[in-house]
Amino acid sequence: MSKAFSSEVDAGSRKENASKQKSDYDVAVVGGGLLGSAIAWGLGRLGKSVAVLDEGDITKRASRANFALVWVQSKGLGMPAYTVWTVQASQAWGRLAEELKQQTGLDVSLQQNGGFHLTLGEEEFGQRTELVKRMHNQAGAADYKMEMLSASEVKKSLPLIGPEVSGGSYCPLDGHVNSLRTFRAFHTGFRAFGIDYFPERPVSAISRSGGEFRLTTPKGELRAAKIVLAAGNANQTLAPMVGLYAPMGPTRGQIVVTERTMPFLPHPLTTIRQTDEGTVMIGDSKEDELDDRALKHSISAVMTDRAQRMFPHLSRLNVVRSWAGIRVMPQDGFPIYDQSKTHPGAFVACCHSGVTLASNHAFEIARMVAQGALEPELVGAFSASRFGAAGAANNSGY
């Protein structure tokens, strides 16, 4: 029997269980998407008793609308610490995939043999070359071997590129994964670690007394010694309840998926990837809004046109589905990891790259939460204190 909410305990045992409820959980994670799931799984792995409070399948979950890249190149312009953090995550992903497979039997189909960002025409090639130079010139950034390649060099790895491809950038640490299977693996792992998952429990209020947190949900109250806010864009509302700050920016993206086809793309691209099941995903649009009820076909047209110019044979494939999805995006695009000074034991985690950073969340953030303090040398640069009182303009963390 799982540890229960106060409203779900029958009247006869309510008094008897009152003292037990106060120590039911070491940590409550608010948010059951990829970010919250990775942290909860990591805490369970360390032997902590964990509850995950989630809106459930009805929520607009970024974890089901992402592009599934494990991506390093071009990340961190303006914040060198983010390149270091991203490279660490990429290098730890193999370990995460293996541990999930051993625990759950689920192969998340991690492929990490390098990724490309292709350019069309000389102007795009020049712009990309300039970006690579700026990335390499950042003091303190990790060296992740990002380099520009000519069209003829790209063709050695991607022989089906079209004549309009002028070249592109390549990074050997880039890759991709089956993100839906990863999501399932984390939740399957919950059961093995004894983690309690509570769907349809969005948190509406948080208070702290007697050294414990009380979280209010539509189905009752839950108590825990520590909390981790990993509720995506909802963190903006939840964080101030415990003296934290999580400025988020609205953003959504669209993805087009084709029918299955022969294996032709041995490396993922920033905007095109072939899944382990053979479909081709075309994406990477970005709009400053949070309404995902309808597609904008003009955006899908641009994405598919560029994809066909990069790989002309894609024009023969049928589109089988497409969708718009809400993304999680801090205001400047870089992650936010913070702990509360006014409410000891409360942590917040926000990021756009929940797939890429999953290994860091499972191994590093979970470890720090379990120990009771974030480590400045690893994540100090990601404190929301960087925004100051005025917030921040959109930046290049994305």
Side-chain angles (χ1 to χ4, degrees):
M1 179 179 176
S2 66
K3 306 172 185 72
F5 280 83
S6 57
S7 65
E8 294 172 340
V9 179
D10 64 71
S13 60
R14 192 182 301 278
K15 184 176 180 179
E16 179 182 347
N17 286 345
S19 60
K20 181 181 178 182
Q21 290 167 12
K22 298 195 75 174
S23 58
D24 269 349
Y25 296 100
D26 297 324
V27 187
V29 177
V30 182
L34 265 176
L35 191 156
S37 295
I39 295 173
W41 182 87
L43 287 164
R45 177 176 172 273
L46 296 174
K48 300 299 179 181
S49 63
V50 182
V52 177
L53 304 177
D54 191 27
E55 287 186 277
D57 290 340
I58 60 172
T59 189
K60 296 178 178 180
R61 196 189 294 283
S63 300
R64 293 200 177 99
N66 64 73
F67 202 57
L69 296 178
V70 177
W71 210 248
V72 172
Q73 65 169 293
S74 75
K75 286 188 173 179
L77 187 61
M79 184 184 279
Y82 189 38
T83 66
V84 176
W85 185 240
T86 305
V87 167
Q88 179 178 341
S90 172
Q91 293 173 333
W93 237 105
R95 174 187 168 201
L96 175 62
E98 184 59 33
E99 287 199 21
L100 287 173
K101 185 175 183 179
Q102 288 183 3
Q103 183 194 39
T104 68
L106 294 170
D107 183 351
V108 298
S109 300
L110 174 67
Q111 177 190 334
Q112 271 185 305
N113 60 341
F116 287 86
H117 176 97
L118 296 187
T119 58
L120 296 171
E122 293 309 312
E123 182 177 353
E124 285 188 14
F125 188 84
Q127 292 171 348
R128 192 68 180 176
T129 300
E130 182 60 28
L131 174 66
V132 172
K133 288 180 181 176
R134 293 173 64 194
M135 296 293 296
H136 278 298
N137 289 338
Q138 284 199 119
D143 180 10
Y144 47 85
K145 314 295 183 187
M146 181 180 174
E147 61 178 334
M148 290 300 296
L149 300 177
S150 67
S152 60
E153 291 172 318
V154 170
K155 200 172 184 64
K156 293 176 184 176
S157 299
L158 304 174
L160 294 185
I161 59 172
E164 290 190 68
V165 174
S166 52
S169 57
Y170 171 78
C171 173
L173 296 181
D174 289 337
H176 61 154
V177 70
N178 187 316
S179 59
L180 292 179
R181 201 174 301 144
T182 301
F183 187 60
R184 179 184 166 199
F186 278 133
H187 279 246
T188 302
F190 284 180
R191 292 193 291 272
F193 286 142
I195 295 170
D196 287 335
Y197 173 74
F198 297 107
E200 301 176 9
R201 266 80 161 185
V203 172
S204 58
I206 307 171
S207 61
R208 185 173 186 273
S209 64
E212 293 186 331
F213 292 92
R214 296 183 176 186
L215 298 98
T216 302
T217 84
K219 297 188 177 182
E221 183 179 89
L222 181 138
R223 303 179 185 193
K226 299 175 187 174
I227 60 170
V228 179
L229 304 180
N233 294 313
N235 274 353
Q236 184 160 265
T237 302
L238 296 172
M241 297 178 186
V242 289
L244 290 166
Y245 183 44
M248 308 300 290
T251 183
R252 71 168 218 165
Q254 292 186 187
I255 289 176
V256 173
V257 185
T258 75
E259 62 186 327
R260 295 176 183 175
T261 187
M262 65 176 184
F264 77 97
L265 197 56
H267 303 268
L269 274 59
T270 316
T271 57
I272 307 172
R273 59 181 287 263
Q274 186 171 26
T275 71
D276 58 305
E277 296 165 333
T279 58
V280 181
M281 294 180 67
I282 301 167
D284 203 33
S285 66
K286 183 176 182 294
E287 303 164 77
D288 294 332
E289 61 176 270
L290 286 176
D291 187 351
D292 64 351
R293 293 173 296 179
L295 289 169
K296 293 183 179 178
H297 296 297
S298 59
I299 291 176
S300 297
V302 171
M303 294 192 306
T304 53
D305 174 68
R306 288 184 60 86
Q308 292 175 59
R309 291 162 66 192
M310 291 177 181
F311 296 97
H313 76 284
L314 293 180
S315 63
R316 299 195 295 269
L317 298 179
N318 292 308
V319 171
V320 294
R321 62 183 180 277
S322 60
W323 68 78
I326 303 304
R327 291 171 167 154
V328 177
M329 187 70 75
Q331 274 189 7
D332 62 357
F334 299 116
I336 297 171
Y337 306 112
D338 238 333
Q339 62 187 101
S340 177
K341 295 178 181 177
T342 60
H343 295 67
F347 300 83
V348 66
C350 315
C351 76
H352 166 68
S353 298
V355 177
T356 299
L357 299 177
S359 55
N360 280 355
H361 297 152
F363 297 132
E364 299 296 346
I365 297 297
R367 176 181 59 78
M368 288 184 255
V369 170
Q371 293 175 349
L374 300 180
E375 296 171 2
E377 62 273 21
L378 277 180
V379 296
F382 307 120
S383 168
S385 62
R386 70 180 184 266
F387 293 105
N394 287 339
N395 207 317
S396 56
Y398 170 65

